[in-house]
Amino acid sequence: MNTHIPRVDFGRRVLVLRHRRIAVRLQWRSVVVCTVLAVAVAGTAVLALMTGSYPLSPGQVLSALTGRETGIVHDIVVEWRLPRVAAAVVFGAALGVSGAVFQSLLRNPLADPGLVGFSQGSYTGALIVILVVNGTYVQLVGGALLGGMATAVAVYVLAHRRGVQGFRLIIVGIGVAAMLESLNTWLILKADLDQAMSAAAWIAGSLNGVSWDQVVGGGACIAVLLLLAGMLSRPMRQMELGDDAAASQGVRVSPARLGLLLVGVALTATVTAASGPIAFISLVAPQIGRRLARTAGITLAPAAFVGALTCLASDYLAQHVAPTPLPVGIITVVLGGGYLGYLLFTEARRRL
């Protein structure tokens, strides 16, 4: 693989990786930002693996991860704590990319899978499996995926009128989300007490009880979806200029939009099935990533790294800093709500 670094490209330094006929163009600042975020994720992960009722040193953690430590230390790190840390990283990255896809498609910094009903649709599908079918984890994943996909298709069809415009999709999605929220509440109220309490705890978004099976299964699905999102990233950026401009550059707008929509929904549904709906990461991660990388539009890689760091740090705060252990979704709601208020304040000042 040959590497070439032009000094200036529209005022920005870029990194171009070439291999035969394939070339990947990366902004140099984005590469640096993603590297720093990856180091922060690794450091937070080691801290999370060290902390608990049985404290460990960094050396013990690294020895257990490399297979040089056996016994109780290995079990604590690899079998008990590492699945939760890995889930936080993988699920956070998935939510960050999902939010980036929707904010780019809808051209709205406040766009979120929950805003247009896709998170509620995944939750509805999972609730039906939990409360009606009393199914297994595999059935729960299938229910969440089917619920999210069905909601996406319904919103897409209802919003389609000589094409799909972002504003129309948001309005239709808000209406569908309100209907699904009412349905979810009705399902919980009609359920048995034990099932209702279990569903109510799950809706907060929690990584408690996450096993290696969930991490491996969900991680494999997320890896495929992230690869598809990367393949669709170029038409995604071109569509930010408008449908006509994208079409003039050879982008098949409707198929590309539908493909990105399905990828974003599938990422959200996969996370929802494994941990419940973890709110606000998909809202804040793309915007923080864009500001750190100083890109003109939404980019996927910074959003993924910010999402992973946000979810991992929030779970650490929920476990070890809060007075009592909390679901990670409660911490992300607090952090996300504060960021949303800041974003609305800055946008209002900018328009004055």
Side-chain angles (χ1 to χ4, degrees):
M1 180 178 290
N2 299 322
T3 302
H4 177 58
I5 307 177
R7 292 189 176 182
V8 178
D9 184 1
F10 298 103
R12 296 179 181 273
R13 194 178 183 188
V14 298
L15 175 68
V16 180
L17 305 177
R18 301 181 186 275
H19 181 67
R20 296 180 181 178
R21 296 183 179 181
I22 301 176
V24 179
R25 177 179 174 274
L26 304 171
Q27 290 190 9
W28 186 249
R29 182 179 176 87
S30 295
V31 174
V32 174
V33 167
C34 290
T35 302
V36 173
L37 290 172
V39 172
V41 169
T44 307
V46 171
L47 178 63
L49 293 173
M50 291 169 47
T51 310
S53 57
Y54 191 102
L56 300 173
S57 67
Q60 288 176 305
V61 169
L62 296 177
S63 296
L65 293 177
T66 55
R68 292 180 294 167
E69 191 77 47
T70 59
I72 186 64
V73 173
H74 177 272
D75 292 340
I76 290 174
V77 173
V78 178
E79 300 298 332
W80 300 348
R81 295 178 183 174
L82 187 57
R84 182 168 188 147
V85 170
V89 173
V90 175
F91 295 166
L95 291 173
V97 171
S98 177
V101 168
F102 284 111
Q103 290 180 15
S104 177
L105 281 180
L106 303 179
R107 302 168 198 165
N108 191 324
L110 300 179
D112 179 82
L115 175 70
V116 290
F118 301 148
S119 295
Q120 286 83 355
S122 299
Y123 180 47
T124 301
L127 267 183
I128 292 174
V129 173
I130 293 173
L131 302 179
V132 179
V133 182
N134 195 22
T136 63
Y137 170 70
V138 175
Q139 292 173 323
L140 181 64
V141 173
L145 287 172
L146 288 176
M149 291 298 180
T151 305
V153 171
V155 172
Y156 190 86
V157 170
L158 292 173
H160 192 281
R161 183 181 178 185
R162 298 178 182 177
V164 176
Q165 301 297 324
F167 180 74
R168 189 185 305 132
L169 191 69
I170 291 176
I171 296 300
V172 172
I174 290 174
V176 172
M179 295 173 61
L180 290 174
E181 191 69 32
S182 299
L183 176 60
N184 295 340
T185 303
W186 180 81
L187 287 172
I188 293 177
L189 291 175
K190 298 296 289 185
D192 294 335
L193 180 60
D194 292 339
Q195 289 181 321
M197 291 178 64
S198 175
W202 183 75
I203 193 177
S206 175
L207 299 177
N208 293 331
V210 172
S211 65
W212 274 121
D213 292 337
Q214 293 169 302
V215 174
V216 172
C221 294
I222 289 171
V224 174
L225 293 170
L226 291 180
L227 179 61
L228 292 175
M231 295 171 62
L232 293 170
S233 61
R234 184 171 182 179
M236 182 186 78
R237 290 194 300 269
Q238 291 172 322
M239 285 189 293
E240 289 180 353
L241 302 175
D243 292 353
D244 293 337
S248 67
Q249 299 178 26
V251 177
R252 299 176 61 190
V253 175
S254 293
R257 179 182 286 113
L258 182 59
L260 285 165
L261 190 66
L262 293 177
V263 168
V265 171
L267 286 170
T268 300
T270 303
V271 176
T272 301
S275 62
I278 302 177
F280 277 107
I281 291 180
S282 53
L283 173 67
V284 303
Q287 292 301 312
I288 294 176
R290 183 178 68 84
R291 283 165 169 75
L292 291 176
R294 295 181 184 176
T295 55
I298 301 295
T299 50
L300 299 182
F305 281 104
V306 172
L309 181 60
T310 302
C311 189
L312 183 58
S314 297
D315 189 55
Y316 181 85
L317 293 175
Q319 286 188 85
H320 307 296
V321 178
T324 58
L326 299 172
V328 62
I330 294 179
I331 303 298
T332 59
V333 165
V334 173
L335 297 178
Y339 177 77
L340 179 61
Y342 165 78
L343 187 63
L344 292 173
F345 177 73
T346 54
E347 288 293 328
R349 287 190 60 184
R350 187 178 302 172
R351 294 181 181 182
L352 292 178

